């Protein structure tokens, strides 16, 4: 199922998704957007953020279940994604199902994360930020804060899984628009491409 007016940014850490979300928050059309990210700002997401910082160890299969639980709350919970869309907003989310399929596939295989996430609605548009892991890692190191998945070997494996995930949905969900972006180009150029799609959504012209 496609959730109209729902847009997702995806890519490995350091690909620039957060920067583009911030730019949209500063744009002329910002009042029509609800900008969010996963893990969410709900209690479920806060717990996951602690785990990602390495505050405590957790089995990776358990992590897959927790990410799916947070996603369910993020979509269907009070003031969540579905509620915002019903109020007439365009929801733009930094990471979603595709992150789980890529990151968790590295640590616990494809089957479990796919089973946990297959019933969630798909976005109307998916922007996939493609970047070499070596370049993304340099960007991450410049931030000064690293999470448990932000290691070169893990990022390389995750990028490989992401490519499989994107190809899978290109074949199996043609109703979802997938836009592959060169994440090494300038922030301004990337923003221009993203905006060219967003501005043509019917809700933007209403």
């Amino acid at each position: 199922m496609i959730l109209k007016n729902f847009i997702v940014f995806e890519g490995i850490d350091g690909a620039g998704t957060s920067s583009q979300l911030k730019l949209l928050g500063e744009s002329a059309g910002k009042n029509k957007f609800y900008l969010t990210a996963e893990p969410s700002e709900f209690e479920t997401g806060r717990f996951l953020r602690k785990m990602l910082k390495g505050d405590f160890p957790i089995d990776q299969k358990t992590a897959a279940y927790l990410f799916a639980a947070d996603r369910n709350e993020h979509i269907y919970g009070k003031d969540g994604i579905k509620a915002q869309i019903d109020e007439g907003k365009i929801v733009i989310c930094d990471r979603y199902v595709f992150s789980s399929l890529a990151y968790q596939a590295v640590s616990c295989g494809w089957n479990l994360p796919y089973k946990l996430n297959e019933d969630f609605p798909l976005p109307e548009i998916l922007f996939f930020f493609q970047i070499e892991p070596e370049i993304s890692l340099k960007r991450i190191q410049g931030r000064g804060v690293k999470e448990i998945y932000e290691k070169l070997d893990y990022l390389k494996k995750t990028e490989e899984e992401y490519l499989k995930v994107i190809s899978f949905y290109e074949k199996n969900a043609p109703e979802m628009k997938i836009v592959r972006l060169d994440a090494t180009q300038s922030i301004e150029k990337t923003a221009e491409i993203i905006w060219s799609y967003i501005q043509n959504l019917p809700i933007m012209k209403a």
Side-chain angles (χ1 to χ4, degrees), residues 10-35:
E10 287 282 3
I12 60 173
D13 295 86
T17 57
S18 299
S19 296
Q20 292 301 324
L21 201 72
K22 182 180 178 182
L23 283 178
L24 283 168
E26 299 168 350
S27 69
K30 63 182 180 181
N31 291 333
K32 293 194 175 184
F33 303 142
Y34 175 74
L35 307 179

Side-chain angles (χ1 to χ4, degrees), residues 2 8 15 17 25 34 39-40 42 47 51 54 57-58 68 93 104 127 132 136 140 143 147 153 202:
I2 296 293
V8 169
T17 57
Y34 175 74
S40 74
F42 293 102
F47 179 84
M51 182 273 290
I58 195 168
C93 186
Q104 263 79 62
F127 290 98
E132 291 294 324
S136 72
I140 293 166
R143 294 195 310 231
E147 295 183 344
D153 181 57

Side-chain angles (χ1 to χ4, degrees), residues 30 67 87 130 198:
K30 63 182 180 181
F67 274 105
E87 289 183 8
Q130 290 186 257
I198 293 177

